[in-house]
Amino acid sequence: AVHVDIIKHKWSRIVVDGQPHPHSFVRDGEEIQTAKITHLRAGNTVTITSGLKNLLLLKTTGSAFHGFYKDEYTTLVETWDRIFSTSVDATWTYSPRPAEKYKSIDFSAIHAGVRTTTMDIFAKDDSASVQATLYLMQQQILGRYSDIEEISYALPNKHYIGIDLSKFNIDNTGKKMDVYHPQADPSGLITAVAARRHTSKL
């Protein structure tokens, strides 16, 4: 007897500039929105950190990783085209201020803007590395939203490995590779924090 169980996850094309992107997707329904507030009694200073978590993205091309440093322990193979998938965990902190000064900030609009910027850059960037794409996201967001003091991203690398189908006389290698296996571990966790540079008053 043969028993086959199939689970289908819903992926939707990322909408970029009003059009579905040809090779970039977002997993629906798993993303959450976060917020953290710290109110100091001294000085009546409030710090707010907003965030999004579990924003699962995937692009089937437009990502590479090569030219990196190698030594006798290097096992990673260079690639000029690969699947790029990650679960975005981003937090952004607003510059501290008294509570009443936050009334002018449209938190919902900024959250939507950060989310859109993240997905737009993910889809459009011809990624040289996860690190390079992450840094571009941070630069764009700090440039667009002056109230944001600092932004942090954690982008785990969710690897998709080609399956060896040679035993079935199927060539699933190189440009003919169509069948992949999502690999849970091991994977890299790429994190970075970018903040504004303040001019010294001294």
Side-chain angles (χ1 to χ4, degrees), residues 23-57:
H23 60 253
S24 298
F25 303 84
V26 58
R27 172 86 65 80
D28 294 333
E30 298 187 10
E31 175 192 354
I32 60 174
Q33 186 173 346
T34 64
K36 177 182 178 181
I37 301 172
T38 303
H39 192 166
L40 299 179
R41 189 184 302 276
N44 190 31
T45 301
V46 177
T47 302
I48 295 179
T49 299
S50 299
L52 58 86
K53 193 177 181 68
N54 299 337
L55 177 61
L56 190 55
L57 304 176

Side-chain angles (χ1 to χ4, degrees), residues 163-173 176 178-179:
I163 297 176
D164 182 5
L165 298 177
S166 59
K167 292 181 180 179
F168 306 99
N169 295 318
I170 298 174
D171 184 3
N172 190 51
T173 61
K176 295 181 179 180
D178 291 319
V179 183

Side-chain angles (χ1 to χ4, degrees), residues 13-16 19-25 58-61 123:
R13 292 186 186 274
I14 296 175
V15 176
V16 178
Q19 297 295 325
H21 197 269
H23 60 253
S24 298
F25 303 84
L58 180 147
K59 61 195 297 184
T60 57
T61 188

